[in-house]
Amino acid sequence: MERRPSAPGFVRWVTRTLEDAGYETWAVGGAVRNTLLGLPSGDWDLATRAPPAVVRRLFPRTVPVGIAHGTVGVLTREGVLLEVTTFRRDVETFGRHAVVEFADTLLEDLSRRDFTVNAVAWHPVREEFQDPFGGRADLAAGLLRAVGVASRRFSEDYLRVLRGLRFSGRFGLRIERDTWEALCRATTHLGALSPERVREELMKILSEDVRPSGALALYGISGALEVLYPELAAVRGLQRRGTGEDLWVRSLLTADLLPAHRPSLRLTALLQNLGHTTQDGVPVEGGATWGEGAPGAGVNARTRDRAAGLMIRLRFSNAEVREVAGVLEAGAEPLPAESAPAELRRWLHRVGPERFPASARLWIAGARLDRLRHEGDPAPVVKVLRRLRGELRKSPPLRTEDLAVNGRDLVAMGLKPGPRFGKILASLMEEVLEDPTLNRREQLLEAVERWLEEEG
Ligand code: ATP
Ligand code: MG
């Protein structure tokens, strides 16, 4: 039996107000689709015959959120901003942007929507459907189908390719055959999309899907991955040392095991195996995955650099790039085998205490994945991480900045800035990591003086 949507009171209030003024109004888009699937509605969107100026006049508080596209935000008493968009039709399309004009009928408005499941209108007051493209039947059959001629719809706006993969992955909808064939052909044009739109699509998958592997695996199968993320496409088929597991699949499944509210961590998991090929795409020896360390092979440095390159291309912020690259770099340090406190501190120093929390989550996700594959026991990993966390909680000096002396002190002792500085500070760091109680100014300055005397 089909689920009936049920809209909150403010959606009915806005609909009623518009209709009382003589303008037909419907709920459309994602909220209708989601409630039919039995999922939380997300934001409700209304489509109306009323022009934007009328919408603004009819409600006490409105915000011109997208006036050029006919969208007015109506602020309700509940403090919700409900988007009300005037019926539209496309008059011109360029594969990226559409020039729209206002339309008279709901049918025109529904015709320009991307997929049948997104083109179902529901009346929040009369509780009836307008479903000219059979979106409800497709939902019931678990199908994602383009509205109209699929190839034309994709060439009007290539973002629909990525939206299709996302909806299919998220809701477990099979892509109908004509739609699928047109979608795969259209992937060659994805380079025309702006980096920002590509990034937003990726981040929607990572921040909203229960299992991002669904949509991302479809990126791989459709050809979208090759065009948009060639460095990720190159990971497919590479084998992990020892287990032989496919490193692309491992990246995807690790992302699944991390929470949706930490999308940058999921992104880190996705990018964790980028460094396993040479510049020319030849697989490198080793096959160590993130956190296993791959001494000498340069895998971790390459992974970090390629991930940063990918993120810069997609116009991520510098802070986001630094965060992901830092955690990827931490993967070069396998977890410490010994649990002597000094050993733990030296390890935390190498990894960087600020990178520890995110790295720990990645270690746990990796260990859980191994257990799911019957290839390991997460207990020892959890134990080491707990010890490391315990050590971290004591706030010992772990970074050169934590030392009780700094470069200025060395200058005051008559030393000239130079490489020697770094060496001296590093030796002090070593001593302090061994014994944190040594981190006192007097004591460290004495140690420096002793060295200077010994050196003559
Ligand atoms: P979600 O918000 O969960 O990603 P949604 O379906 O609400 O899903 P939105 O991007 O919020 O997606 O867009 C709302 C509606 O607008 C869609 O359901 C669809 O009908 C229409 N739409 C959005 N983007 C496009 C597009 N590029 N081409 C055609 N129709 C679109
Ligand atoms: Mg939406």
Side-chain angles (χ1 to χ4, degrees):
M1 218 196 56
E2 187 177 75
R3 293 186 180 84
R4 310 285 311 174
S6 152
F10 59 81
V11 174
R12 290 199 299 275
W13 167 65
V14 174
T15 306
R16 212 177 286 119
T17 307
L18 285 160
E19 296 221 321
D20 288 350
Y23 301 97
E24 182 186 356
T25 300
W26 295 82
V28 288
V32 177
R33 175 199 66 219
N34 289 3
T35 49
L36 284 170
L37 283 165
L39 299 170
S41 64
D43 296 336
W44 286 86
D45 293 310
L46 293 178
T48 182
R49 231 197 119 172
V54 171
V55 179
R56 297 203 71 181
R57 221 175 29 239
L58 282 173
F59 297 94
R61 287 186 298 170
T62 62
V63 184
V65 282
I67 273 294
H69 308 105
T71 304
V72 173
V74 174
L75 201 57
T76 71
R77 258 175 319 208
E78 292 79 359
V80 178
L81 193 71
L82 187 66
E83 292 198 355
V84 179
T85 306
T86 306
F87 291 159
R88 293 177 295 185
R89 76 168 81 88
D90 291 336
V91 286
E92 231 184 297
T93 48
F94 318 100
R96 284 226 235 177
H97 297 290
V99 174
V100 292
E101 63 182 29
F102 299 135
D104 293 324
T105 65
L106 174 69
L107 182 62
E108 282 178 285
D109 188 81
L110 294 179
S111 316
R112 63 179 285 282
R113 294 176 184 269
D114 46 9
F115 301 101
T116 64
V117 299
N118 288 344
V120 180
W122 181 72
H123 200 282
V125 180
R126 294 200 302 277
E127 307 208 342
E128 64 187 39
F129 288 104
Q130 284 285 324
D131 181 15
F133 304 105
R136 284 179 300 159
D138 282 345
L139 269 184
L143 277 182
L144 188 81
R145 183 197 308 269
V147 169
V149 180
S151 55
R152 192 178 309 149
R153 302 317 307 286
F154 289 125
S155 58
E156 283 168 7
D157 178 2
Y158 291 114
L159 191 72
R160 291 173 187 157
V161 169
L162 302 185
R163 288 173 55 86
L165 299 173
R166 172 160 59 90
F167 293 130
S168 170
R170 177 178 302 173
F171 303 121
L173 301 172
R174 230 162 1 100
I175 303 180
E176 175 272 336
R177 189 172 166 157
D178 284 347
T179 301
W180 174 250
E181 285 174 1
L183 183 152
C184 293
R185 278 197 304 274
T187 56
T188 53
H189 298 282
L190 290 174
L193 292 174
S194 76
E196 288 81 2
R197 294 180 96 195
V198 172
R199 181 193 66 220
E200 270 168 30
E201 271 300 322
L202 176 64
M203 293 318 279
K204 276 188 180 176
I205 293 171
L206 295 176
S207 61
E208 291 172 35
D209 286 14
V210 177
R211 271 184 292 278
S213 63
L216 293 171
L218 290 171
Y219 269 56
I221 300 168
S222 63
L225 197 69
E226 232 109 21
V227 177
L228 295 176
Y229 304 102
E231 55 278 80
L232 269 170
V235 176
R236 286 179 304 173
L238 301 179
Q239 292 188 349
R240 180 185 176 193
R241 182 175 62 190
T243 70
E245 99 199 78
D246 184 307
L247 287 172
W248 162 242
V249 175
R250 182 174 176 86
S251 307
L252 289 182
L253 297 181
T254 314
D256 282 357
L257 289 172
L258 291 160
H261 66 268
R262 298 292 304 273
S264 69
L265 215 48
R266 283 176 152 193
L267 179 63
T268 311
L270 184 68
L271 304 180
Q272 66 178 313
N273 290 309
L274 285 186
H276 285 276
T277 53
T278 64
Q279 216 58 48
D280 312 318
V282 182
V284 292
E285 294 299 312
T289 190
W290 185 90
E292 290 180 328
V299 169
N300 290 287
R302 222 170 15 243
T303 295
R304 175 201 61 204
D305 293 345
R306 284 186 187 157
L310 183 156
M311 291 181 73
I312 290 166
R313 189 170 78 229
L314 294 194
R315 313 260 202 282
F316 278 88
S317 73
N318 289 341
E320 289 168 311
V321 176
R322 260 199 310 275
E323 184 190 342
V324 170
V327 176
L328 287 174
E329 202 174 57
E333 296 290 341
L335 286 172
E338 286 175 56
S339 58
E343 197 51 47
L344 299 178
R345 286 191 296 270
R346 275 192 281 273
W347 185 91
L348 286 166
H349 164 74
R350 288 198 302 275
V351 163
E354 68 288 351
R355 293 168 177 169
F356 177 74
S359 304
R361 280 175 171 266
L362 222 49
W363 259 293
I364 289 177
R368 282 179 59 203
L369 183 58
D370 289 340
R371 181 182 52 193
L372 291 173
R373 292 174 41 91
H374 304 287
E375 267 159 12
D377 175 8
V381 173
V382 172
K383 202 161 142 194
V384 182
L385 291 173
R386 194 175 302 135
R387 289 219 174 94
L388 286 163
R389 215 172 279 127
E391 196 56 37
L392 203 52
R393 218 170 283 134
K394 296 184 208 152
S395 314
L398 292 169
R399 300 166 307 167
T400 328
E401 302 93 278
D402 302 332
L403 287 174
V405 298
N406 58 29
R408 267 196 311 277
D409 296 312
L410 301 187
V411 172
M413 293 175 79
L415 272 151
K416 291 198 186 66
R420 225 164 136 217
F421 255 59
K423 265 200 203 138
I424 293 178
L425 290 173
S427 329
L428 292 178
M429 191 74 242
E430 262 171 54
E431 301 213 355
V432 165
L433 287 169
E434 183 63 39
D435 179 1
T437 62
L438 296 179
N439 194 28
R440 290 206 311 269
R441 205 177 134 75
E442 300 304 307
Q443 221 150 337
L444 294 185
L445 292 177
E446 267 170 39
V448 175
E449 255 162 40
R450 244 180 292 121
W451 283 329
L452 293 178
E453 274 164 28
E454 276 166 31
E455 278 182 21

